[in-house]
Amino acid sequence: MNEFNIHRIREDFPILTRRNFNNKQLIYFDNAATTQKPKQVIETIVNYYKNINSNVHRGVHFLSEEATTKFEEAREKVKQFINADYSEEIIFVRGTTEAINLVANSFCKNKLNENDEIIISSLEHHSNIVPWQMLCECTGAKLKVIPIDSNGDIIFEEFIKLLSEKTRLVAITHISNAIGTVNPIEEVIKTAHSKSIPVLIDGAQSIQHKKIDVKKLDCDFFAFSGHKVYGPTGIGILYGKKELLENMPPYQGGGEMIQSVSFEKTTYNTLPYKFEAGTPNIAGAVGLASALDYITQIGLDNIATYEREIFEFATEKIQDIDGIKIIGTAKEKANIISFLLNNLHPYDVGAILDNEGIAVRTGLHCAEPLMKIFSINGTVRVSLAFYNTKEEILKLVEAINKAKKLLT
Ligand code: PMP
């Protein structure tokens, strides 16, 4: 196991040396929105554009071949990272949002009618709610929502009650981006499968914190975004079991996804290209592969151990502040602490923290229905990554106390 050296790791992230408009050192606690990029990833992308840039799968020339090799190596890397069986099961998309929309449109659209149901949970990000609502609107299918208790844990007995012969898919987040609940996805998958119902996991908030093994999980689909796992924006992954993907129609039409085109009839390409219409985000894929290399080198176990330590430290320090109410106290939580300070508006608290150079997210966190369940208009959200430190957390506590003084 490599030694986890926080000081050396921080040197890999050039942005962490930034100062804000008050000349305060940046303290970045908005990692659930997007993570920062290590110089290894930035340099890989620069090198790609400087030396390799070309289109993939088309040219006879050496650059196109090199770009194609890099692109396909990136697919292979993702396959290994999540322990998929086949590289054809790895579809490059724009991000989690597009991955979920792909499944909603391709896996579900032609098959659903008013007798069918899709199950999601109360904890979902809008991108795992709205695509299903749109699907229900045009097919007449119904959306069923697993309720949560006051801690922010899904009520498993209610989930079991929702499952029926009408259920076509369960789509559920691994970790809530708004309140940090870690869902018991292993049991969710097992229970759904006992009734032959497929499961999609939204892994946008778990891929960067937990070892994901799609084979062990036995999930049918797994979606994540490159930018939340230290890679670039505009690239993400849909993993799907090969036998499911093979039987799904293309999601978008265009170049790359075809075998042969005539005005009378077009035949489609094989997996994974069937789902990759148009020129893909080649630099994004190469950058994502570099990010996966980077965290693999640090060690996923090292990352998990360190993150657990700072998460527990942060939870303890924040909840000790007089006037703090933590929203979401699930049995298992990770990396995200959402809170309210007295009756202050989260935005006002966030603005004071911003003055101190501390970047947090305030508001609904793209989880408006969840905020409604807690009868609140939003929270202040602190989300951690492995480059954060206890010193930064102590500065946050100081700044929260300052906000309280200034605003009350
Ligand atoms: N699901 C969850 C749980 C998320 O946190 C996010 C991003 N905040 C998404 C989906 C959407 O990801 P993206 O915007 O990268 O498509």
Side-chain angles (χ1 to χ4, degrees):
M1 200 193 255
N2 303 329
E3 202 199 329
F4 186 89
N5 182 334
I6 182 69
H7 300 292
R8 223 177 42 219
I9 282 167
R10 284 180 68 83
E11 283 171 6
D12 287 338
F13 292 84
I15 209 167
L16 297 180
T17 61
R18 281 263 343 239
R19 291 185 167 267
N20 79 348
F21 43 87
N22 283 334
N23 201 29
K24 301 274 185 179
Q25 169 80 46
L26 168 69
I27 295 179
Y28 188 75
F29 285 141
D30 197 15
N31 295 289
T34 198
T35 51
Q36 298 302 344
K37 321 305 170 199
K39 59 180 187 244
Q40 290 82 344
V41 169
I42 298 167
E43 282 160 12
T44 300
I45 295 168
V46 170
N47 178 56
Y48 171 80
Y49 277 123
K50 267 188 175 167
N51 295 308
I52 304 172
N53 178 50
S54 182
N55 213 328
V56 289
H57 303 136
R58 298 171 195 191
V60 286
H61 56 81
F62 76 100
L63 274 186
S64 177
E65 255 178 47
E66 277 181 31
T68 304
T69 303
K70 289 276 176 212
F71 186 65
E72 291 305 327
E73 277 174 6
R75 196 189 306 277
E76 188 62 28
K77 185 132 298 160
V78 174
K79 178 202 125 180
Q80 283 166 14
F81 191 78
I82 62 171
N83 197 30
D85 268 328
Y86 309 100
S87 54
E88 299 97 298
E89 297 180 317
I90 307 300
I91 314 290
F92 283 119
V93 289
R94 273 194 302 128
T96 311
T97 304
E98 190 177 34
I100 296 170
N101 276 277
L102 193 164
V103 177
N105 280 283
S106 170
F107 180 63
C108 300
K109 206 172 209 163
N110 297 340
K111 291 204 277 192
L112 261 56
N113 61 43
E114 61 283 356
N115 299 318
D116 295 323
E117 294 174 356
I118 301 281
I119 296 179
I120 61 171
S121 86
S122 301
L123 293 160
E124 303 310 315
H125 185 278
H126 293 164
S127 60
N128 200 26
I129 302 173
V130 184
W132 307 115
Q133 284 175 328
M134 290 164 74
L135 177 72
C136 288
E137 248 169 54
C138 69
T139 60
K142 313 274 178 316
L143 193 63
K144 298 283 164 178
V145 184
I146 310 167
I148 51 170
D149 62 20
S150 56
N151 294 322
D153 277 310
I154 59 163
I155 304 173
F156 209 85
E157 308 80 70
E158 296 297 324
F159 164 58
I160 292 172
K161 279 193 222 157
L162 287 178
L163 289 169
S164 77
E165 69 287 350
K166 294 180 179 175
T167 314
R168 292 289 156 262
L169 183 82
V170 176
I172 187 166
T173 192
H174 194 170
I175 298 181
S176 155
N177 69 302
I179 60 169
T181 303
V182 180
N183 273 326
I185 58 163
E186 294 81 0
E187 290 88 86
V188 167
I189 294 166
K190 263 193 213 120
T191 310
H193 282 182
S194 70
K195 300 195 152 80
S196 305
I197 297 163
V199 181
L200 176 148
I201 302 296
D202 172 349
Q205 296 296 342
S206 63
I207 190 77
Q208 63 282 52
H209 302 304
K210 283 182 172 288
K211 172 83 194 110
I212 299 298
D213 182 331
V214 289
K215 218 150 43 187
K216 203 151 130 204
L217 280 174
D218 197 27
C219 54
D220 301 277
F221 299 102
F222 190 94
F224 69 91
S225 304
H227 71 97
K228 293 190 198 274
V229 60
Y230 311 100
T233 51
I235 189 77
I237 298 296
L238 172 68
Y239 157 81
K241 282 183 180 163
K242 196 172 165 192
E243 65 271 23
L244 293 177
L245 293 174
E246 262 167 356
N247 289 313
M248 285 160 55
Y251 160 56
Q252 293 176 328
E256 196 80 4
M257 51 72 74
I258 51 87
Q259 208 144 47
S260 134
V261 178
S262 75
F263 288 122
E264 288 71 39
K265 183 165 172 59
T266 290
T267 54
Y268 303 127
N269 209 337
T270 50
L271 284 178
Y273 311 111
K274 179 170 81 171
F275 293 113
E276 294 180 353
T279 300
N281 183 353
I282 309 160
V286 172
L288 171 58
S290 165
L292 299 183
D293 272 345
Y294 178 78
I295 56 173
T296 303
Q297 204 183 356
I298 292 176
L300 297 177
D301 288 342
N302 289 338
I303 290 175
T305 306
Y306 179 76
E307 286 185 344
R308 169 83 7 218
E309 187 183 324
I310 57 169
F311 174 68
E312 280 169 9
F313 183 79
T315 304
E316 198 183 299
K317 294 290 171 197
I318 293 173
Q319 76 191 1
D320 276 356
I321 300 170
D322 202 32
I324 283 277
K325 180 170 187 219
I326 292 193
I327 307 296
T329 47
K331 283 196 281 292
E332 197 187 339
K333 280 185 69 177
N335 295 70
I336 288 162
I337 302 157
S338 246
F339 65 85
L340 292 170
L341 179 58
N342 291 330
N343 54 358
L344 298 172
H345 196 286
Y347 179 83
D348 295 335
V349 178
I352 305 269
L353 299 185
D354 186 36
N355 276 330
E356 301 297 313
I358 300 174
V360 294
R361 173 97 178 251
T362 64
L364 302 168
H365 316 299
C366 295
E368 202 175 337
L370 177 62
M371 295 294 119
K372 216 173 248 165
I373 291 170
F374 282 100
S375 306
I376 53 177
N377 293 322
T379 69
V380 180
R381 182 186 72 184
V382 171
S383 52
L384 305 170
F386 62 81
Y387 40 66
N388 290 129
T389 64
K390 289 186 180 171
E391 292 75 41
E392 288 181 323
I393 291 162
L394 292 175
K395 283 193 183 141
L396 167 73
V397 171
E398 225 174 85
I400 295 172
N401 278 319
K402 186 168 177 182
K404 195 166 62 175
K405 260 199 213 118
L406 285 172
L407 297 169
T408 47

